[in-house]
Amino acid sequence: MRGFLPHPARVVGAATAALLLTLPVLTATRYAGWRADLRTVTTASVLVAAAGAFLLAARFGARRPPGRFPVRLAVALAGVGLLAAGYLAAAHLFHRLVVPVAVDGAPGALPARGLVLALLAGALGVALGALWRRPAVLASLLVVLLAGELVLHGPVGFGPFSAARYWLFGVGQPHDIPGCTSVVPAECVTWTYRHWPAGLVLAGGVLVALLAAALAARWPANGDAEPAEPAEPTESVEPAEPAGPADRDAESAGATRTGPSLFRRYAPAAGLVVAGLVLAPLVIGTGAQHATSEFAESIGTSAPVGSPAEVPVPAPGRLAVFAVGLEDVGDCRAASADGSRVALSPVIGTVRYGDSVSYRWVGTFRLPTPGRWTVTCGGDAGEYLVAGVPRVGGLVGRLVEAPRPVGWLLGASPGLLVAAYTAVGRRRRG
């Protein structure tokens, strides 16, 4: 498929970024303490896979690869099918091993439906991409689809644009999504009952777009015309003298040491390092919140900031400190009766629990001896709670309490690897 699809590393990088952002994006629109289940993150993965398939196929269709429209369509469908299947499988393993989430009902037909939806999105994307350089045909197609949306909105309840939402989610409750697993009307009737035409309307809209793209491909646009043959030179031009070794060394040194060339080489790596340092705590903190299997809210010893809280510790172990509400709590210390002092180990990212009252996990004490310990936390205002450590499963449970440099290294590692790859490639070319 080389020459047909974008660079594989870009596709893999975009899919990985989308996978890691699924959980933070879910939590960004929810209240504190909300935790996703497997069905919710699977639904989000289906939407991400369909959107990625559409964008990838649209970009591919807008290029000028060799081969006719049917060949481009077949290659695009194969590419988006592999991408969607790989992404859905990776999302399932990610939410089983790295960030294990609760299972509130089996995902059911969501993955299969997501694969079919990704193929439909890829077919529509390659059609719109092929029509990108034909604005008149593309505008006509959009007018037809918009007219279909308006006409079908009355008798059916949805048109080509809204059919994707109905076809995906069906008419079930948020935690019991039926939908249809293919575009066959009989199967849509079995799964969605009243809204079975949604699959047929969606498939019809895609087929109309494909037909328009296939017909338009028979008449090449101005940008697709064959390049004219170069004119014969009328005058002979003396070839330039080859540069000497000193000139080549000077040019090479200038290209290597000048700012713009060096910046262009390492700008992607620097951008990845910055993005990783910003996103790593967000992914770890959100993942720890979703992967928490046990946390007894409001059970512990609470005290206003600045006041001590005495906690009996029956055995050596760990104690967690939570900020109650939205106030900041910091500078926490624990002291035992014999004078031993322990500093607080902060957690990576922001981990919140609770519903009406928010409990933000500030850090953890690792107490070496049993006895009666006194915990004191500072702050401008507010209250803090000293309780047992939440039980967080999966790999994220170990990362959330790791030292901060571990989180920094984890976030910066993709950018550092890209920088190392760039440096090694330059050395080999040199």
Side-chain angles (χ1 to χ4, degrees):
M1 296 183 181
R2 186 175 182 179
F4 283 93
L5 296 178
H7 195 279
R10 300 174 187 173
V11 177
V12 174
T16 304
L19 177 63
L20 294 178
L21 288 177
T22 299
L23 278 175
V25 169
L26 278 174
T27 300
T29 58
R30 301 287 182 166
Y31 53 86
W34 180 84
R35 283 179 283 172
D37 53 38
L38 185 59
R39 178 177 290 272
T40 305
V41 296
T42 304
T43 303
S45 302
V46 165
L47 296 177
V48 171
F54 175 80
L55 295 176
L56 178 64
R59 182 188 182 280
F60 164 65
R63 297 177 63 186
R64 303 175 186 174
R68 297 182 178 179
F69 181 78
V71 178
R72 273 193 272 176
L73 178 62
V75 174
L77 289 181
V80 299
L82 291 175
L83 177 66
Y87 177 79
L88 292 174
H92 184 77
L93 293 176
F94 181 81
H95 296 120
R96 286 286 192 180
L97 303 177
V98 181
V99 183
V101 294
V103 181
D104 187 7
L110 276 175
R113 191 185 330 142
L115 182 59
V116 176
L117 186 66
L119 292 176
L120 282 174
L124 182 60
V126 73
L128 295 182
L131 296 174
W132 187 252
R133 293 188 301 275
R134 298 168 175 84
V137 180
L138 182 58
S140 303
L141 174 62
L142 293 179
V143 169
V144 169
L145 294 179
L146 182 60
E149 177 76 23
L150 297 177
V151 170
L152 294 176
H153 184 74
V156 183
F158 45 79
F161 295 108
S162 59
R165 177 169 57 89
Y166 281 98
W167 183 80
L168 178 65
F169 293 105
V171 295
Q173 300 299 320
H175 295 283
D176 185 22
I177 305 172
C180 46
T181 57
S182 75
V183 296
V184 180
E187 190 170 3
C188 292
V189 170
T190 305
W191 280 93
T192 56
Y193 303 104
R194 292 172 53 197
H195 292 284
W196 65 267
L200 187 60
V201 172
L202 179 62
V206 174
L207 290 178
V208 170
L210 291 176
L211 180 62
L215 293 177
R218 300 181 60 182
W219 294 278
N222 294 333
D224 296 334
E226 294 293 332
E229 294 292 333
E232 293 292 334
T234 57
E235 295 181 351
S236 61
V237 180
E238 294 293 332
E241 294 184 2
D247 296 334
R248 286 195 297 268
D249 293 342
E251 293 177 1
S252 176
T256 304
R257 296 174 183 173
T258 53
S261 178
L262 193 64
F263 175 77
R264 283 195 298 267
R265 287 193 181 98
Y266 289 97
L272 283 177
V273 169
V274 175
L277 292 177
V278 173
L279 294 178
L282 181 62
V283 174
I284 294 175
T286 306
Q289 175 184 339
H290 288 300
T292 299
S293 59
E294 182 179 339
F295 171 62
E297 300 175 6
S298 72
I299 297 180
T301 303
S302 60
V305 293
S307 301
E310 294 188 358
V311 182
V313 179
R318 299 180 300 161
L319 282 178
V321 176
F322 301 88
V324 181
L326 302 178
E327 300 294 338
D328 291 332
V329 173
D331 192 21
C332 297
R333 299 181 181 275
S336 63
D338 58 1
S340 301
R341 295 181 178 273
V342 177
L344 185 73
S345 299
V347 297
I348 298 178
T350 302
V351 188
R352 294 185 184 274
Y353 302 102
D355 189 356
S356 58
V357 179
S358 173
Y359 295 89
R360 179 174 58 87
W361 188 5
V362 178
T364 304
F365 287 116
R366 290 173 173 81
L367 305 180
T369 58
R372 196 165 191 85
W373 288 78
T374 302
V375 178
T376 305
C377 291
D380 296 334
E383 186 181 357
Y384 66 95
L385 173 71
V386 183
V389 177
R391 293 180 56 183
V392 184
L395 179 61
V396 72
R398 299 183 179 183
L399 292 176
V400 70
E401 294 190 83
R404 288 191 182 274
V406 175
W408 298 336
L409 180 61
L410 184 65
S413 57
L416 296 178
L417 290 175
V418 171
Y421 177 80
T422 303
V424 170
R426 287 185 58 204
R427 184 172 299 177
R428 287 180 178 177
R429 289 191 297 268

